[in-house]
Amino acid sequence: MNKNHAVTAQDVATKAGVSRAAVSRTFTNNGSVAKETREKILKAAQELGYQVNFLAQGLNRKRSQLIGVVVARLSDPFRSRLLEGLLSEIQNKGYQALVTEIGNPKDLEETIRRFTQFRVSGVVVTSGQPPTGLVKECVQHNIPVVGINRHMDIKDVDFICSDNQMGATLAAQQLIDSGCHKLAWLNYKESTWSGVSRGEAFRNAIEQKQAEQVLNLIQITALQDGYEGGRSAAKLFCRSDERVEGVFCANAQLACGFLDGMREEGFDAPRDFHLIGFDDTELTAQYSYRLTTIGQDIEETAARALSCLEARGRDATTEPRFEVVPVKLVLRNTSPALFC
Amino acid sequence: MNKNHAVTAQDVATKAGVSRAAVSRTFTNNGSVAKETREKILKAAQELGYQVNFLAQGLNRKRSQLIGVVVARLSDPFRSRLLEGLLSEIQNKGYQALVTEIGNPKDLEETIRRFTQFRVSGVVVTSGQPPTGLVKECVQHNIPVVGINRHMDIKDVDFICSDNQMGATLAAQQLIDSGCHKLAWLNYKESTWSGVSRGEAFRNAIEQKQAEQVLNLIQITALQDGYEGGRSAAKLFCRSDERVEGVFCANAQLACGFLDGMREEGFDAPRDFHLIGFDDTELTAQYSYRLTTIGQDIEETAARALSCLEARGRDATTEPRFEVVPVKLVLRNTSPALFC
DNA sequence: TTGAAAGCGCTACCAG
DNA sequence: CTGGTAGCGCTTTCAA
């Protein structure tokens, strides 16, 4: 077999009877190598089982083919779907994902620091509010940063975001067309930027429609996030005297919880009210929920994120982008299609 | 501010008036450094914002503080929970996770190769059957490998596995104690080792009980995996003449799907039959399912996986471990607690 | 097109 | 305890 020691470019060079510079060139498609030489090298490498040492390569280039990904609460199906999409895109582009989960936003600092220590080629933030200072550090280190479904006022950071405006408008349209007049917006008390932004867009959409007919919009606030938050919100809501005909939720987990909470209280959709959630996940499609949702285009989002990273990697002074990815209305049982 | 160039150990050394060897020592807690010197260095480092370059460090040590994690189908809540647990453990122990998702088992080869190129400190395989040859390659490179919820006959690889035997026995016990005589085992046609193993254990448990009373066990085979697999299996099953009182499923997704499929056909648990699934996830706890499940101890599993990696990292010739993690029965609505 | 050589930033050994 | 030094394996000018 092979010697116990890992096989290096020098080994290949020796075996092929060339310099190790030539080996490097063939493997990085960088300099020019005579076709014949190249083949000799490839053959030798093959036989020896040579593989580039990424650590050494990165050290030299001052840049690894690693991409840092910041995630949180993977138990939320949407978040894990997003991670899945990112992983797939990252791998397709020939990078490797360095994934860090942050429990509380404070961890983000240490995380990003770690990323820089690995000289990552880019950082994707899908959770937490990147502390401005830290991101600046990345920018200083010349590491591109892209945020997904969030926004901050930081120079030189790109953002990819689902079209909350469009989503809210589609939802409002659907609810109103279904004949709902008493509408509600359900969101978590300490919602992220995404949630807030969806709420504002929904309110705006409703206000526009108010020119044509009388509409009523209330706000339901969940004290927790996720499924349980939605569920308790529903129970609390039922105990109030308010009634509502159409509900739009900041995310799918909240929506599923709300639906279940209402069911526990004896109400159901679409019989007693209509319900639309943001984030189309496997869960929302399941028979017991069949939630009408706003579907985000995860593949597109991931693709654009990577493309931002690469663009800014090439030229750090690119004009910061804020890209909006179209969403679509996925009609299911909780607010069914209209047959007019 | 700082010079544009990243600050190196040499910069710190110069500023502190020591050699860069001393800097290295303080930051790796390796050699011995006078307390005073150490403080000088730390201070200088602080002021300069020095951070170890992990690429250089890894290159030297021939080992990075990276741990490779192989995952698949993160859309399955159990899998994403497991990843979450692993990430948390990996980070707590001071490593960073290099996560790769593999679509089909063929990708595993390239993946593991990439891992070795980064000189990872270990590899956790949560999906796919690691091709023996590849794992051997890791072992040759002296990279510890641990598999979770799977098993192969490879020398020098450790395995951590939920106690399928115990889970199946608990499930059998519960169903029988609830008065079920006609039992069924539901699994995906091309199930992984875990599923198969759970099925065998269930069969055994039933057979043991048969000494005491007349029991009947049939097998329901899902043609797809996951929720949809369970759902179609239920529909198919209902169309047959078979009837069943207690069903045990290889995993939670299958179980949820089966339940929904049965509901679509007008049956429900626990009214018409009892149902127990493997994998306790957030989904199974939700009101619309409230599935009785066998709960795996993910934190414990992750902790043991890491501990195996570290043990084998220290001494590659450790006796291969096959560790079994206890599970527990989580009683919910689909097979409620007995009050005897 | 090719090879020699100068590092990338850090660790670890060895002598002092 | 400390500093000098020899690499780790690769990339990338620079001449030839």
Side-chain angles (χ1 to χ4, degrees):
Chain A
M1 307 289 171
N2 292 333
K3 51 212 125 194
N4 189 6
H5 225 53
V7 23
T8 96
Q10 182 61 69
D11 298 335
V12 177
T14 309
K15 173 150 186 149
V18 297
S19 75
R20 74 166 175 257
V23 177
S24 175
R25 284 192 209 102
T26 31
F27 275 88
T28 58
N29 301 315
N30 207 346
S32 51
V33 189
K35 194 174 176 182
E36 205 177 293
T37 318
R38 169 190 212 78
E39 278 167 4
K40 260 196 313 198
I41 293 177
L42 253 22
K43 182 160 160 286
Q46 175 79 46
E47 289 173 14
L48 260 35
Y50 169 73
Q51 299 157 224
V52 176
N53 179 328
F54 287 153
L55 262 19
Q57 181 181 75
L59 175 58
N60 240 291
R61 299 215 185 140
K62 301 174 183 316
R63 191 106 303 163
S64 64
Q65 17 183 332
L66 255 22
I67 295 217
V69 181
V70 180
V71 299
R73 285 239 337 272
L74 287 183
S75 47
D76 179 333
F78 175 72
R79 291 161 181 278
S80 48
R81 272 255 299 147
L82 178 57
L83 174 58
E84 200 169 34
L86 284 169
L87 287 180
S88 154
E89 189 68 19
I90 288 173
Q91 291 166 199
N92 282 342
K93 296 240 178 189
Y95 299 97
Q96 281 280 322
L98 209 51
V99 180
T100 301
E101 188 190 33
I102 58 173
N104 64 69
K106 272 199 60 186
D107 301 344
L108 193 52
E109 177 154 346
E110 202 188 344
T111 289
I112 295 200
R113 186 147 286 147
R114 284 251 187 83
F115 285 167
T116 69
Q117 301 193 82
F118 275 111
R119 298 291 184 266
V120 296
S121 289
V123 174
V124 182
V125 179
T126 72
S127 182
Q129 293 302 348
T132 317
L134 247 287
V135 173
K136 281 211 178 112
E137 207 170 288
C138 276
V139 175
Q140 258 186 16
H141 276 270
N142 204 12
I143 295 179
V145 179
V146 62
I148 293 186
N149 280 353
R150 60 206 55 254
H151 184 57
M152 330 162 241
D153 263 327
I154 305 185
K155 203 61 189 155
D156 301 320
V157 173
D158 303 304
F159 292 93
I160 312 292
C161 188
S162 280
D163 194 336
N164 294 327
Q165 174 80 49
M166 179 177 172
T169 307
L170 285 170
Q173 184 81 51
Q174 163 70 14
L175 291 174
I176 292 168
D177 288 354
S178 305
C180 305
H181 295 93
K182 291 162 173 281
L183 301 165
W185 160 245
L186 167 62
N187 195 8
Y188 167 49
K189 189 178 52 162
E190 297 170 27
S191 165
T192 56
W193 177 84
S194 260
V196 174
S197 147
R198 288 164 195 174
E200 280 169 13
F202 189 58
R203 190 181 328 279
N204 288 343
I206 300 296
E207 277 169 14
Q208 297 222 340
K209 298 281 178 183
Q210 262 165 341
E212 300 158 27
Q213 55 192 298
V214 178
L215 296 171
N216 186 12
L217 175 63
I218 65 169
Q219 166 139 4
I220 306 178
T221 301
L223 304 176
Q224 288 173 64
D225 202 0
Y227 177 85
E228 277 308 326
R231 183 161 165 249
S232 353
K235 293 187 167 180
L236 242 53
F237 178 74
C238 285
R239 248 157 247 148
S240 78
D241 284 338
E242 301 260 30
R243 284 300 168 261
V244 77
E245 296 164 337
V247 180
F248 182 41
C249 290
N251 65 62
Q253 291 301 92
L254 228 36
C256 286
F258 187 80
L259 180 55
D260 273 349
M262 293 300 277
R263 284 171 173 169
E264 284 183 75
E265 298 291 325
F267 300 95
D268 203 352
R271 192 190 60 201
D272 307 307
F273 63 101
H274 277 207
L275 177 62
I276 301 185
F278 221 104
D279 303 345
D280 186 42
T281 67
E282 267 185 35
L283 174 61
T284 59
Q286 293 182 189
Y287 177 74
S288 288
Y289 292 104
R290 283 179 295 154
L291 223 58
T292 291
T293 55
I294 303 298
Q296 302 189 48
D297 189 341
I298 290 185
E299 284 65 38
E300 177 69 15
T301 302
R304 292 212 202 174
L306 266 283
S307 115
C308 277
L309 252 28
E310 292 193 318
R312 189 165 296 280
R314 262 178 259 114
D315 172 15
T317 66
T318 312
E319 193 60 24
R321 303 192 205 166
F322 182 83
E323 296 197 7
V324 169
V325 181
V327 296
K328 63 173 196 286
L329 179 65
V330 181
L331 289 165
R332 293 206 194 86
N333 188 51
T334 60
S335 183
L338 302 160
F339 303 103
C340 0
Chain B
M1 309 295 168
N2 291 334
K3 50 213 124 194
N4 190 7
H5 227 51
V7 26
T8 97
Q10 182 61 68
D11 299 334
V12 177
T14 309
K15 171 150 189 151
V18 297
S19 76
R20 74 167 175 254
V23 177
S24 175
R25 282 191 212 103
T26 39
F27 275 88
T28 59
N29 303 313
N30 207 345
S32 50
V33 189
K35 195 175 175 184
E36 205 178 293
T37 318
R38 172 191 208 75
E39 278 166 6
K40 259 194 318 194
I41 293 176
L42 252 23
K43 182 161 160 287
Q46 175 78 46
E47 289 173 14
L48 259 38
Y50 170 72
Q51 297 157 225
V52 176
N53 180 329
F54 287 152
L55 262 20
Q57 182 181 75
L59 175 58
N60 247 292
R61 301 235 251 244
K62 297 175 186 316
R63 190 107 304 160
S64 64
Q65 15 183 334
L66 255 22
I67 296 222
V69 181
V70 181
V71 298
R73 283 243 334 274
L74 286 183
S75 48
D76 178 335
F78 175 73
R79 291 161 181 278
S80 47
R81 273 255 300 146
L82 179 57
L83 173 59
E84 198 167 36
L86 285 168
L87 287 180
S88 157
E89 189 68 19
I90 287 173
Q91 291 167 199
N92 282 341
K93 296 242 178 190
Y95 299 98
Q96 280 280 322
L98 208 52
V99 180
T100 302
E101 188 189 33
I102 58 173
N104 65 69
K106 272 199 60 187
D107 301 343
L108 192 52
E109 177 153 344
E110 203 188 344
T111 288
I112 296 200
R113 184 148 285 147
R114 283 253 185 84
F115 285 167
T116 70
Q117 294 185 258
F118 275 111
R119 298 291 185 265
V120 296
S121 289
V123 173
V124 182
V125 179
T126 72
S127 183
Q129 293 302 348
T132 316
L134 248 288
V135 174
K136 281 214 179 109
E137 206 169 291
C138 277
V139 175
Q140 259 186 13
H141 275 271
N142 202 13
I143 295 178
V145 178
V146 60
I148 292 187
N149 280 353
R150 61 207 53 257
H151 184 58
M152 330 161 240
D153 263 326
I154 305 186
K155 203 62 189 155
D156 300 319
V157 173
D158 304 304
F159 292 93
I160 313 292
C161 188
S162 281
D163 194 338
N164 294 328
Q165 174 79 49
M166 178 177 172
T169 307
L170 285 169
Q173 186 80 50
Q174 163 71 14
L175 291 174
I176 291 169
D177 288 354
S178 304
C180 305
H181 295 93
K182 290 162 173 282
L183 301 165
W185 160 245
L186 167 62
N187 195 6
Y188 167 49
K189 189 178 51 163
E190 296 170 28
S191 166
T192 56
W193 176 84
S194 259
V196 173
S197 147
R198 288 164 195 173
E200 280 170 13
F202 188 59
R203 190 181 328 280
N204 289 341
I206 300 297
E207 277 169 13
Q208 295 222 341
K209 298 281 179 182
Q210 263 165 341
E212 300 159 27
Q213 55 191 298
V214 178
L215 296 171
N216 186 12
L217 175 64
I218 65 169
Q219 166 139 3
I220 307 177
T221 301
L223 304 175
Q224 287 174 65
D225 202 0
Y227 176 86
E228 275 309 325
R231 184 161 164 249
S232 354
K235 293 189 167 177
L236 242 53
F237 177 74
C238 287
R239 250 157 246 148
S240 78
D241 285 337
E242 301 260 30
R243 284 300 168 260
V244 77
E245 295 163 338
V247 180
F248 182 42
C249 290
N251 65 60
Q253 291 301 93
L254 227 37
C256 285
F258 187 79
L259 180 55
D260 273 348
M262 292 300 277
R263 285 171 173 170
E264 284 182 76
E265 298 292 325
F267 301 95
D268 203 352
R271 192 188 62 202
D272 307 308
F273 64 101
H274 277 206
L275 176 63
I276 301 184
F278 220 104
D279 304 346
D280 185 43
T281 66
E282 267 186 34
L283 175 60
T284 60
Q286 294 183 189
Y287 175 75
S288 289
Y289 292 103
R290 284 180 295 157
L291 222 57
T292 292
T293 55
I294 302 297
Q296 303 189 48
D297 189 342
I298 289 185
E299 284 66 36
E300 177 69 16
T301 302
R304 293 212 202 173
L306 265 283
S307 117
C308 277
L309 253 27
E310 292 193 320
R312 187 165 297 281
R314 262 178 260 115
D315 172 17
T317 66
T318 312
E319 192 61 22
R321 303 192 205 165
F322 182 83
E323 295 197 9
V324 168
V325 181
V327 296
K328 62 175 198 285
L329 179 65
V330 181
L331 288 166
R332 294 206 195 86
N333 187 52
T334 60
S335 182
L338 301 160
F339 304 103
C340 0

